[in-house]
Amino acid sequence: MRRAQRSMSAALAGCLTAMALSACGGEPPSGTETAGGPLTVWFPGNAEAEMKLVNETIVPAFEKASGTDVEITYVDWEEMSPKLNAAFAAGTAPDVIGHGVAATADLAANDRVEDLTPYVAKLPASDREDLKSALDGGVVGGKQYIAPLIMTLRMLVYSGADFKEAGLDPDAPPKTWAEVRAAAEKLTKREGGMITRAGLIMPSNPISIQQSYATLLWSHGGDFLTPDGKKSALTSPEAVAALEYLTGLYQGAQAVDNTLGTEWGGSPHAQQPIVTGEASMQLSSSGDIKKYQDAGPDRDLRLIPPPAVEGHEARSFGGAANGLMINKDSVQKDQAWAFITHMLQPETSVAYAEALGVLPARASAVDSAYVSKNPELKKAVESLPAAKGNPNVVGWVQMRHAMGQSLERALHGKTPPAEALKQAAAEMDKIIASSS
């Protein structure tokens, strides 16, 4: 856990916060506000650019406009849930809780976080519409529990240089997953039976493997749960076809991915396989495209809009990502909501997304300088309608873990895809039953 070292910066202080508290936030519900010391806020992660922006610009601007002192704490992602649970038990949980959307349902079910629905209803209609895709991703059981700050979308990054070398047209990238597979085979290089350049790589570490599979599952028309959310849907033909596609990347004489089990997702941008030339196509967070381009200017790196499977709409893992919630026990709920609306203010929202290298929460950000000056980033924002998020249901984190283990066995060839999914479905059904 890291404590913020903040310094006052007056540069954007007055105008940003004034807009956040009036135009964006409106009058919040009342009745819980008391003077309770500094407003405590936990953010997940420790990205230097994020901390600098929050500490030196966003928080000072909010403090100046609101008169509320803010104490920011950054918590490493892997430590967030256990530290939060311990803080709730000790009665020291922060007023504002930053977390991933996937954690929302469990926190809501345990009555840890405030229902933000009446607060959101106070936002101007234009703001609700501009933030609609993000806000929809923070709804659990019909109620708003988290206000997402950023969006994400997995997209295939490809090297135009490699496409030309392989005789492929870089201006006409694949439109279907079948075409992606065909292109990957042409792009793959081998020496002595060993892959020396992967045609296509997809993240396969324990959490990312589920996200890679999700992209293929939804593109094949399948889903993780039945429409009523009471059973797993992983034994469907669509689910099996999606996993067979994924396992086929790693297995057999025509394998195109040699990174199974390798953790490259967290590597510096300059060391990503798509940048170093070890891969020609790579499934990545689309918000990283500018950093990839900066790290590998000779690679001619571009994005492929989410491919489809014949007969189905294109879908890719994404949607609302990190966001802010209010502690149900906070005695400063009004100040907490004011801070959240400050983070959602248009200029602040874009600046925050740019600092993290992700996609902004507001649809109108497509016209911002951050997005519009980079055609590939603009392509990513315009592809957000294809984004689909994981089910926002109680027990999802446990289900994701159980599913990941089964997927890993299939990818390593230890269990056939259909059997692996049958095992995953059985584990998920147990978790659903125990959570109901």
Side-chain angles (χ1 to χ4, degrees):
M1 186 181 297
R2 302 179 64 171
R3 293 278 176 186
Q5 298 297 316
R6 295 183 283 106
S7 63
M8 291 295 292
S9 170
L12 299 177
C15 60
L16 287 182
T17 305
M19 291 176 69
L21 296 178
S22 57
C24 186
E27 290 296 328
S30 60
T32 55
E33 179 177 347
T34 63
L39 185 75
T40 53
V41 182
W42 285 13
F43 276 93
N46 53 14
E48 290 296 331
E50 176 190 16
M51 291 191 291
K52 180 177 175 62
L53 176 69
V54 171
N55 295 343
E56 298 182 7
T57 301
I58 292 177
V59 168
F62 175 76
E63 289 179 323
K64 183 175 181 179
S66 68
T68 300
D69 290 335
V70 179
E71 182 180 279
I72 300 287
T73 299
Y74 298 94
V75 184
D76 291 338
W77 268 106
E78 61 271 21
E79 296 178 357
M80 176 57 89
S81 290
K83 286 188 178 294
L84 199 53
N85 290 336
F88 274 123
T92 59
D95 298 297
V96 180
I97 302 164
H99 215 314
V101 168
T104 310
D106 284 336
L107 289 169
N110 287 294
D111 205 26
R112 296 299 195 188
V113 291
E114 182 76 2
D115 176 10
L116 301 182
T117 307
Y119 291 86
V120 171
K122 293 284 187 178
L123 290 173
S126 58
D127 279 317
R128 292 200 304 273
E129 181 61 28
D130 202 21
L131 290 161
K132 187 177 186 307
S133 294
L135 291 173
D136 285 351
V139 173
V140 178
K143 296 181 179 179
Q144 189 85 44
Y145 282 102
I146 186 170
L149 300 179
I150 57 174
M151 301 290 283
T152 184
L153 180 66
R154 298 291 184 276
M155 292 177 73
L156 290 170
V157 184
Y158 72 103
S159 166
D162 290 354
F163 265 53
K164 285 182 180 176
E165 180 190 282
L168 299 169
D169 184 356
D171 296 322
K175 294 182 178 179
T176 69
W177 279 104
E179 292 175 1
V180 169
R181 172 70 202 209
E185 293 182 7
K186 289 184 178 179
L187 291 161
T188 300
K189 286 185 174 181
R190 296 179 173 81
E191 288 183 14
M194 301 290 289
I195 294 176
T196 57
R197 185 182 71 188
L200 165 65
I201 62 173
M202 299 181 75
S204 59
N205 64 322
I207 291 180
S208 295
I209 192 174
Q210 181 269 326
Q211 298 171 355
S212 296
Y213 176 63
T215 293
L216 292 168
L217 173 66
W218 295 323
S219 297
H220 279 77
D223 214 334
F224 289 114
L225 302 175
T226 55
D228 62 6
K230 295 182 177 179
K231 301 282 286 184
S232 167
L234 285 183
T235 56
S236 70
E238 293 84 3
V240 175
L243 187 53
E244 288 176 342
Y245 185 102
L246 187 57
T247 58
L249 301 182
Y250 307 100
Q251 300 170 11
Q254 295 304 311
V256 296
D257 189 340
N258 60 348
T259 66
L260 180 59
T262 303
E263 171 52 65
W264 46 262
S267 300
H269 293 94
Q271 296 175 21
Q272 292 287 311
I274 192 66
V275 175
T276 62
E278 297 170 275
S280 296
M281 292 188 285
Q282 172 177 313
L283 187 67
S284 291
S285 173
S286 54
D288 285 328
I289 184 63
K290 184 178 184 305
K291 293 176 181 176
Y292 290 163
Q293 291 172 326
D294 291 343
D298 297 333
R299 297 284 291 153
D300 185 16
L301 297 176
R302 316 183 194 184
L303 291 172
I304 298 176
V309 170
E310 187 175 355
H312 302 287
E313 293 183 3
R315 285 284 182 265
S316 191
F317 179 83
N322 311 353
L324 297 176
M325 296 172 271
I326 296 178
N327 181 352
K328 188 72 174 285
D329 297 327
S330 171
V331 296
Q332 303 190 86
K333 292 188 177 71
D334 288 353
Q335 294 98 322
W337 177 247
F339 182 77
I340 291 174
T341 59
H342 180 69
M343 291 294 300
L344 294 174
Q345 199 271 339
E347 289 84 355
T348 306
S349 176
V350 171
Y352 185 71
E354 185 170 8
L356 283 173
V358 296
L359 305 181
R362 287 180 175 267
S364 60
V366 71
D367 296 323
S368 67
Y370 167 54
V371 175
S372 63
K373 66 185 179 184
N374 186 314
E376 298 305 310
L377 199 55
K378 187 174 182 181
K379 188 188 301 180
V381 173
E382 292 174 343
S383 296
L384 277 172
K388 184 177 172 71
N390 280 328
N392 217 343
V393 297
V394 177
W396 173 250
V397 175
Q398 287 178 274
M399 286 188 264
R400 183 179 64 185
H401 178 69
M403 186 193 318
Q405 292 180 324
S406 294
L407 295 176
E408 194 170 7
R409 288 194 292 272
L411 264 57
H412 283 277
K414 296 179 179 177
T415 307
E419 178 60 25
L421 291 173
K422 184 178 178 181
Q423 294 172 2
E427 291 299 318
M428 292 172 66
D429 286 345
K430 289 179 185 176
I431 295 168
I432 294 170
S434 65
S435 301
S436 60

